[in-house]
């Protein structure tokens, strides 16, 4: 998997983000926004995912839009990302947008390598994921959730459930006493993905720095 570097290569805060070709068009802008919003030095590693639906899905599921089903490649992707988390003096956050946001949230239920998850407009409509969250507890300190205020207003009944699912996720994290936030952004799923992801990572950085 190709990995691109942004930010300060000597920083102790490491941000890990699965990306596709569309994300790469705005990664420089995202890094600038994280720096502006957090006021901290960081290193952002962008992992270029070859097959979005396969490589970020925790288990197989039927297609929701188009004809491509979801695979079960998240475990392999997580193993590749985890390979860079070898320095215990550094702080690692995993995050992403859309299905990558769901992957980030799933990842912190799998391992304690990450101090937090930045789940920006995560695909919480993904079949079975709410049940998975109820049966587990995340192994991290901080979780950021966000959604566009128009995202649940869609003709797809599956994707329209995302609003109820993310509210349920926030309530569950509150019950489990996990430090988290649910932030609502203006617009639908396709608006300001770089800004939304930057806000997610910046919040994690600020929360972590408060506890140091």
């Amino acid at each position: 998997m190709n990995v691109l570097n942004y930010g300060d290569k000597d920083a102790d805060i490491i941000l890990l983000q699965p990306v596709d070709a569309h994300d790469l068009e705005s990664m420089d802008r995202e890094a600038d926004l994280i720096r502006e919003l957090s006021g901290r030095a960081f290193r952002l590693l962008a992992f270029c995912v070859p097959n979005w639906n396969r490589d970020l899905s925790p288990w197989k599921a039927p297609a929701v839009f188009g004809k491509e089903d979801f695979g079960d490649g998240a475990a392999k992707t997580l193993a590749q990302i985890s390979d860079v988390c070898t320095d215990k003096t550094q702080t690692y956050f995993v995050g992403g947008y859309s299905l990558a946001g769901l992957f980030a949230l799933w990842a912190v239920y799998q391992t304690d390598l990450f101090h937090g998850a930045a789940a920006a407009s995560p695909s919480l409509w993904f079949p079975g994921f709410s049940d998975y969250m109820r049966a587990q507890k995340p192994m991290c300190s901080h979780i950021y959730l966000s959604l566009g205020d128009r995202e649940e207003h869609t003709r797809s009944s599956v994707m329209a459930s995302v609003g109820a699912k993310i509210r349920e996720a926030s309530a569950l994290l509150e019950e489990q006493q996990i430090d988290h936030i649910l932030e609502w952004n203006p617009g639908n799923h396709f608006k300001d993905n770089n800004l939304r992801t930057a806000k997610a990572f910046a919040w994690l950085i600020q929360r972590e720095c408060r506890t140091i």
Side-chain angles (χ1 to χ4, degrees):
M1 187 182 299
N2 191 28
V3 183
L4 301 178
N5 284 266
Y6 301 86
D8 182 353
K9 64 182 180 64
D10 297 318
D12 293 328
I13 295 173
I14 314 298
L15 312 178
L16 309 159
Q17 180 181 347
V19 299
D20 62 8
H22 176 69
D23 293 320
L24 288 176
E25 295 174 2
S26 58
M27 290 305 296
D28 287 314
R29 176 57 178 158
E30 181 182 319
D32 288 342
L33 287 167
I34 296 170
R35 189 178 297 106
E36 176 184 328
L37 293 169
S38 70
R40 298 280 180 166
F42 62 89
R43 182 183 179 196
L44 171 59
L45 301 181
F47 293 80
C48 302
V49 176
N51 186 305
W52 195 253
N53 282 10
R54 180 194 67 201
D55 297 334
L56 296 177
S57 301
W59 47 79
K60 292 182 179 180
V64 175
F65 41 86
K67 297 181 179 180
E68 184 180 359
D69 290 340
F70 295 94
D72 57 355
K76 181 178 179 181
T77 301
L78 178 58
Q80 292 174 306
I81 291 176
S82 299
D83 281 345
V84 308
C85 304
T86 57
D87 188 341
K88 294 185 178 180
T89 68
Q90 294 179 323
T91 299
Y92 298 99
F93 295 117
V94 61
Y97 194 82
S98 191
L99 192 58
L102 181 86
F103 168 84
L105 192 56
W106 170 82
V108 296
Y109 287 84
Q110 296 293 305
T111 177
D112 61 359
L113 281 173
F114 312 114
H115 287 228
S121 289
S123 304
L124 284 175
W125 47 260
F126 194 86
F129 200 80
S130 292
D131 292 337
Y132 175 81
M133 287 185 68
R134 283 193 291 270
Q136 313 287 331
K137 188 172 182 179
M139 293 180 277
C140 67
S141 300
H142 319 288
I143 291 178
Y144 177 100
L145 302 172
S146 73
L147 201 67
D149 59 13
R150 300 297 302 167
E151 292 197 51
E152 59 187 321
H153 302 289
T154 175
R155 294 180 180 179
S156 168
S157 59
V158 174
M159 298 185 73
S161 69
V162 70
K165 298 289 188 182
I166 205 164
R167 292 181 184 94
E168 180 183 337
S170 178
L172 177 61
L173 294 173
E174 183 71 25
E175 180 182 320
Q176 294 175 333
Q177 298 183 323
I178 302 296
D179 180 47
H180 77 287
I181 189 173
L182 169 55
E183 185 169 10
W184 293 88
N185 295 299
N188 62 25
H189 187 68
F190 303 100
K191 182 179 180 182
D192 299 329
N193 64 305
N194 61 341
L195 173 59
R196 294 183 187 182
T197 309
K199 288 167 66 178
F201 276 128
W203 185 86
L204 291 179
I205 293 170
Q206 291 175 331
R207 298 300 284 186
E208 183 70 16
C209 289
R210 285 179 55 180
T211 62
I212 296 175

